C-alpha cells in the first residue's frame, strides 16, 4: 500500500492507494499532519511507501517523523518520470504540475491531453501523443481574483465564490460574482479552444478544488476528476519504487 501526502498552498491532502485503487483520502482540517498519519497507519498497517509533494509548508521535522512509519519519497525535479519533460526550466516546474503530467500520461499515453487544475492558481498542463510534457500556463484562481479585488481597492468587499444569477450584475456583489466566475469560465473555455486548434483529438481533464464548481459551467467537453493529482503522485511512487 502507498500513502500520498499532497501539501498544497491552502490545504494538505492525504490518500491511501492499494495498487491503483484509491482506498481512502482526506483533507486536513484542524488535526496535525503526523497525528493524522498515525491514525492512517493504525487503519492501514500494510503501507510500505509514501510520496510527499509539497508546494506549501512541509519541514524537515515532519519528514523525519513520517519516515519513522515507512520509506518516504519526496517529489522534486530530479524524480524519474514516465514522460519526457520538455519544460525549458525543469528545476522551476512545480511538483504539483509534475504529478498532473504523470496522471495525464497514464490516463491517455498515446493521445493529446490537457489538464486544467482549478485551485489556488489555475494551471494548464499539456502532454502530447508522443508522451512529451510541453508546459502550459498559470493564471489566478477564483479565490485569488476575489481577494485581489478586495485587497487592491478601497471599497470592494471580500466575497465567497457564488454562481452568478445572471451575466449582468445589478449590484456590486453580483457584478463581482459575474466578473470572477464568468471570467474564469470564459478563460478556461477560450484556452481549451486554442489547444484544440493545435492538437487533434484532445482530451481535457478538469481537476482541483474548484473543479466541481466550474465543471457544469464550461461549454467544452471535459472529464472532471478531483483526485487526479493524487493519482498522479501514486503513479510516480509506483514508477520510482523499483
Amino acid at each position: 500500500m502507498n500513502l500520498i501526502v499532497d501539501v498544497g498552498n491552502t490545504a494538505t491532502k492525504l490518500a491511501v492507494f492499494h495498487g491503483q485503487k484509491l482506498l481512502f483520502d482526506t483533507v486536513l482540517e484542524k488535526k496535525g499532519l503526523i497525528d493524522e498519519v498515525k491514525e492512517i497507519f493504525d487503519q492501514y498497517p500494510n503501507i510500505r511507501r509514501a510520496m510527499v509533494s509539497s508546494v506549501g509548508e512541509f519541514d524537515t521535522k515532519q519528514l523525519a517523523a513520517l519516515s519513522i512509519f515507512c520509506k518516504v519519497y519526496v517529489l522534486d525535479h530530479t524524480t524519474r518520470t514516465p514522460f519526457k519533460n520538455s519544460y525549458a526550466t525543469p528545476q522551476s516546474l512545480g511538483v504539483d504540475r509534475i504529478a498532473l503530467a504523470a496522471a495525464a500520461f497514464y490516463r491517455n499515453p498515446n493521445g493529446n491531453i490537457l489538464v486544467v487544475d482549478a485551485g489556488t492558481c489555475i494551471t494548464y498542463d499539456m502532454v502530447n501523443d508522443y508522451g512529451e510534457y510541453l508546459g502550459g500556463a498559470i493564471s489566478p484562481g477564483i479565490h485569488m481574483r476575489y481577494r485581489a479585488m478586495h485587497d487592491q481597492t478601497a471599497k470592494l468587499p471580500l466575497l465567497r465564490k457564488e454562481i452568478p444569477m445572471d451575466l449582468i450584475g445589478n449590484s456590486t456583489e453580483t457584478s463581482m460574482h459575474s466578473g470572477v466566475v464568468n471570467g474564469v469560465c470564459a478563460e478556461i473555455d477560450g484556452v481549451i479552444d486554442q489547444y484544440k486548434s493545435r492538437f487533434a483529438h484532445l482530451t481535457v481533464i478538469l481537476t482541483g478544488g474548484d473543479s466541481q464548481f466550474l465543471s457544469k459551467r464550461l461549454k467544452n467537453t471535459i472529464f472532471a476528476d478531483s483526485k487526479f493529482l493524487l493519482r498522479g503522485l501514486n503513479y510516480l511512487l509506483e514508477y520510482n519504487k523499483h
Side-chain angles (χ1 to χ4, degrees), residues 7-228:
V7 184
N9 290 301
T10 57
T12 296
K13 299 176 183 177
L14 300 174
V16 177
F17 285 85
H18 185 5
Q20 304 306 329
K21 184 178 181 181
L22 177 62
L23 301 180
F24 167 85
D25 68 285
T26 187
V27 178
L28 290 187
E29 299 292 344
K30 297 180 180 179
K31 189 179 296 184
L33 172 62
I34 301 305
D35 289 337
E36 184 70 32
V37 166
K38 289 178 181 177
E39 291 190 10
I40 289 174
F41 272 86
D42 286 341
Q43 187 173 356
Y44 301 98
N46 293 325
I47 295 173
R48 295 292 178 264
R49 298 173 181 84
M51 172 67 83
V52 174
S53 166
S54 176
V55 298
E57 295 183 1
F58 187 82
D59 56 35
T60 54
K61 290 182 179 179
Q62 289 175 308
L63 178 59
L66 182 58
S67 299
I68 294 173
F69 296 94
C70 64
K71 184 175 182 179
V72 179
Y73 298 76
V74 178
L75 179 60
D76 62 22
H77 71 279
T78 66
T79 302
R80 290 193 313 126
T81 62
F83 56 86
K84 178 183 178 182
N85 190 346
S86 294
Y87 206 62
T89 55
Q91 68 280 1
S92 71
L93 181 61
V95 289
D96 52 339
R97 299 178 72 191
I98 295 173
L100 292 171
F105 176 83
Y106 282 106
R107 172 68 168 74
N108 194 9
N110 298 309
N112 294 310
I113 185 163
L114 174 68
V115 183
V116 183
D117 184 1
T120 303
C121 289
I122 300 172
T123 60
Y124 303 85
D125 292 289
M126 179 69 203
V127 178
N128 67 16
D129 52 6
Y130 292 98
E132 180 182 16
Y133 175 73
L134 303 179
I138 306 172
S139 71
I142 288 178
H143 178 70
M144 193 179 293
R145 297 181 196 214
Y146 281 117
R147 171 65 71 178
M149 287 194 289
H150 171 69
D151 288 350
Q152 298 182 36
T153 64
K155 296 184 178 180
L156 290 180
L158 179 60
L159 303 179
R160 293 181 179 272
K161 66 185 178 186
E162 183 178 301
I163 295 175
M165 299 299 293
D166 190 11
L167 173 65
I168 302 173
N170 63 358
S171 68
T172 297
E173 287 79 7
T174 57
S175 295
M176 291 173 68
H177 288 310
S178 178
V180 171
V181 178
N182 288 322
V184 165
C185 291
E187 174 198 308
I188 294 174
D189 274 322
V191 170
I192 292 172
D193 287 343
Q194 291 180 64
Y195 274 84
K196 283 183 173 180
S197 70
R198 185 177 298 189
F199 299 96
H201 309 296
L202 181 70
T203 297
V204 181
I205 303 291
L206 177 66
T207 190
D210 289 323
S211 57
Q212 297 300 320
F213 178 79
L214 293 170
S215 61
K216 294 182 180 179
R217 301 194 60 80
L218 299 175
K219 66 180 180 62
N220 276 286
T221 300
I222 58 170
F223 297 94
D225 183 353
S226 61
K227 315 295 183 186
F228 203 63

